[in-house]
Amino acid sequence: MNRYNWLCVLYVTFGSVFYGYDSACTTSILGYPSFLEYMNLDATTIGAFGAAYYAGAVVGMASNWYLPNKYGRLNTIRIGCVLSLLGVAMQTGAPGFPLFCAGRTIGGMASGIVFVVCPAFASEIAPPAIRGRIGGLYSIFVNGSYCLTEWIGLGFYFIKTDVSWRLLLGCQLIPGVLMLAFSFVMPESPRYLVFAGRQDEALGILEKMHNSEQDSSFYLREYHQIKAQIELDREERLGMKAILMKPSYRKRFMLIFWYAIACMLSGVIVVQNYQVILYTKLGFSNVMSLVLTGVWGTIGTLSATISAFTFDLMGRRPTMFISYGLILVANLVVVITWAVFENGGSTNMSLAKGIIAAMFFIGLGYGGPANTFMATYPAEICPTSVRPTGVAVAYMTQHILIIILVQFTPQAIETISWKFFLIFVCSTAIFFVVFILFYPETRGKTLEEMEGVFGDKVAETLDEAGEHLNEIGKSKIEQVEKVAHPNTVQEKSANV
């Protein structure tokens, strides 16, 4: 993987900062008395503005069924960036709750657009051997931006005016401005370009990204494989309707759908969004609660960093066994210690610390492995024509459940407290078994070779593409290269 490819990957994975910072704002801002008083919030309205953000995100994610294949990956990112600037302006300058809530909705739409198109984009430009590491980098940016925002939120807390929360919200401008500016020097996805019939541009970008001294023919074989697979899909008339009509496509989307449900029923979103409420319920001050949210974010970032380096080495399945094993045990400990804490142990701070430690283990198990899997697996198991749709389904399903959870969690914590977490214990245990039985390993395969994992026809493997290029000889290779850089080929001919 050369330097240019790394720079492109860094740009695309930076898109997760949209979501990381925005969602962290929701957590930190609940610790600001000035914000709660200014907006006159209670349990219902707290749930409402959280749900508004995630509802907007679902709409933005749904747009990925259409925008990336119609206008390209880069233009889709630009649309999200422009919407983000509008949403942030409305939130930061809001004179009251209605405009603030509307701004959160528009900001959610922007985040949903960018957060979904970027994993699909990243998978399309990453070499197969390190695709999991790219998903890990996406997870690092999510967790790192969340972590940074929590510590920034702690610092802004000590500004005892409305400036504190307006400044925190205003910093959401930074990801949008940076992504929009650098989009004009970023190349389009080569797989999208082949899909759109722009083969000459695709070959030139593939050469620039994937040509190396170690394997100077890889980009040619990759280009030939991509082109052959897209042509085969078109011959078989595979597209959006194949999601319902073709059994292997249905299987892929069901795996995506159930994994998204399992993620949200792990309990992570409840802990992440409402940990300030949970900490204060356990007897901690506002300042200490904000410190603990920073620790939560730091643990998630550490987990994501470890996962980025182990995901391709260990494989998808072993990584997720560890992830959901940790989450299951941690949820069980939360239920037990919280029940004891409420039934006579509420003066025992050791129990409170035990609950918090278990919550941190949920973040450890989810923050790296589960986030990396979500950023990698849906994109890599879906063909080019439906790849943005597959990623959109994953994150839309997640966020529909998030809307429900963020709306009702404050009331659930007030009324049934620890019993609420029994849902997450049961659902995590069920999914652990489902994952063992039904989720195939995908490590190390190209996106086109993924067809074989699900029983579909692979137009050409990389080896077959190489053999094909050898058969057609040097003259044909020069013709293919001429498409990418005609001036170089002309110079070679002149020298001969």
Side-chain angles (χ1 to χ4, degrees), residues 336-367:
I336 294 170
T337 52
W338 197 345
V340 175
F341 182 82
E342 286 198 350
N343 293 322
S346 57
T347 58
N348 188 343
M349 288 306 294
S350 295
L351 284 173
K353 292 174 183 177
I355 298 169
I356 292 170
M359 288 164 54
F360 286 170
F361 270 99
I362 294 173
L364 181 67
Y366 186 93

Side-chain angles (χ1 to χ4, degrees), residues 20 24 112 120 150 251 329 346:
E150 297 299 359
K251 179 180 179 180
V329 172
S346 57

Side-chain angles (χ1 to χ4, degrees), residues 206-224:
L206 281 171
E207 181 189 21
K208 199 171 179 181
M209 285 187 177
H210 295 167
N211 193 13
S212 66
E213 294 179 358
Q214 290 77 21
D215 189 354
S216 60
S217 68
F218 173 76
Y219 81 95
L220 286 171
R221 290 181 284 127
E222 184 182 25
Y223 167 76
H224 202 280

Side-chain angles (χ1 to χ4, degrees), residues 65 135 162 363 389 395 435:
W65 286 53
D162 294 348
T389 306
Y395 286 112
F435 190 90

Side-chain angles (χ1 to χ4, degrees), residues 22-43:
D22 287 12
S23 58
C25 282
T26 304
T27 305
S28 289
I29 210 167
L30 292 176
Y32 287 30
S34 59
F35 173 75
L36 299 175
E37 292 169 8
Y38 187 91
M39 296 294 179
N40 192 28
L41 298 178
D42 55 25

Side-chain angles (χ1 to χ4, degrees), residues 68-69 72-73 124 188-207 219-234 384-385 387 448 480 483:
N69 281 350
R73 284 38 167 168
E124 291 177 343
E188 183 55 89
S189 162
R191 283 177 169 85
Y192 164 75
L193 292 173
V194 174
F195 178 76
R198 295 155 61 184
Q199 283 86 355
D200 53 344
E201 295 176 61
L203 182 57
I205 291 170
L206 281 171
E207 181 189 21
Y219 81 95
L220 286 171
R221 290 181 284 127
E222 184 182 25
Y223 167 76
H224 202 280
Q225 185 188 42
I226 292 168
K227 189 171 180 291
Q229 192 66 51
I230 289 176
E231 286 174 354
L232 175 63
D233 290 349
R234 282 192 172 135
T384 299
S385 61
R387 184 168 295 118
E448 286 66 38
V480 175
V483 175

Side-chain angles (χ1 to χ4, degrees), residues 8 20 124 140 211 306 406 472:
C8 293
E124 291 177 343
I140 288 173
N211 193 13
I306 295 170
V406 300
I472 61 179

